[in-house]
Amino acid sequence: MIRATHVSQRHESPSGIVTLSYDDRFRRRIALTCDNGLAFLLDLPQATELRDGDDLLLEDGRHIRVKAAPERLMKATARDKHHLIRTAWHIGNRHLPCEIHPDHLILRHDHVIAEMLVKLGTDVEFLDAPFNPEGGAYGQGRTHSHEH
């Protein structure tokens, strides 16, 4: 099976597109199949955050474009900037992945968290869209552990 061994940004047409959820976009090694049926082995030196638009370079020079799959999400809109900061603090206190926008937050759908947000006075809207949360505070991309 052909291997993809590097991640880069290319601008030419890819040989295939692999559509992956947020969870499936943090990988080191896994067999994947493109939307067009092209199978390959992702074989990176270390676990890597794959972002929407990244390209996986195949050994033969071709490349595969990563596409973020739509997922069930929640859009939390606050009354004002202070309320948004307070809401973001509560989300961070629970160590939840979150997209931070100037006037709203995007989180994974979770009925318990939705109830908490409503109790905090936040408007919650449900949607299906790609999920691209902030990276870890202790390094680029996702971090699962860190040293203090």
Side-chain angles (χ1 to χ4, degrees), residues 7-121:
V7 179
S8 76
Q9 292 290 322
R10 308 256 311 239
H11 300 289
E12 58 213 49
S13 296
S15 297
I17 295 172
V18 62
T19 304
L20 302 169
S21 69
Y22 171 68
D23 286 337
D24 289 336
R25 286 185 281 126
F26 186 68
R27 297 290 179 179
R28 187 193 83 71
R29 192 168 200 270
I30 188 173
L32 294 170
T33 303
C34 293
D35 300 349
N36 67 4
L38 175 63
F40 66 97
L41 177 66
L42 180 67
D43 192 11
L44 301 174
Q46 62 190 27
T48 302
E49 170 84 21
L50 302 173
R51 305 291 290 183
D52 186 68
D54 281 348
D55 283 350
L56 305 173
L57 300 180
L58 300 176
E59 294 170 307
D60 64 3
R62 294 179 294 167
H63 65 281
I64 305 299
R65 179 91 16 94
V66 174
K67 180 180 175 186
E71 302 182 48
R72 192 70 177 146
L73 303 174
M74 302 184 298
K75 178 180 178 181
T77 306
R79 294 184 301 270
D80 55 41
K81 290 192 184 294
H82 180 264
H83 186 223
L84 185 68
I85 292 167
R86 190 169 156 258
T87 302
W89 182 89
H90 284 282
I91 297 303
N93 192 43
R94 284 157 183 80
H95 299 273
L96 298 173
C98 179
E99 283 184 42
I100 301 172
H101 298 271
D103 61 348
H104 67 276
L105 306 171
I106 301 288
L107 303 135
R108 289 176 149 164
H109 179 268
D110 181 314
H111 71 279
V112 172
I113 299 302
E115 185 177 323
M116 177 198 76
L117 292 170
V118 169
K119 286 181 179 177
L120 289 170

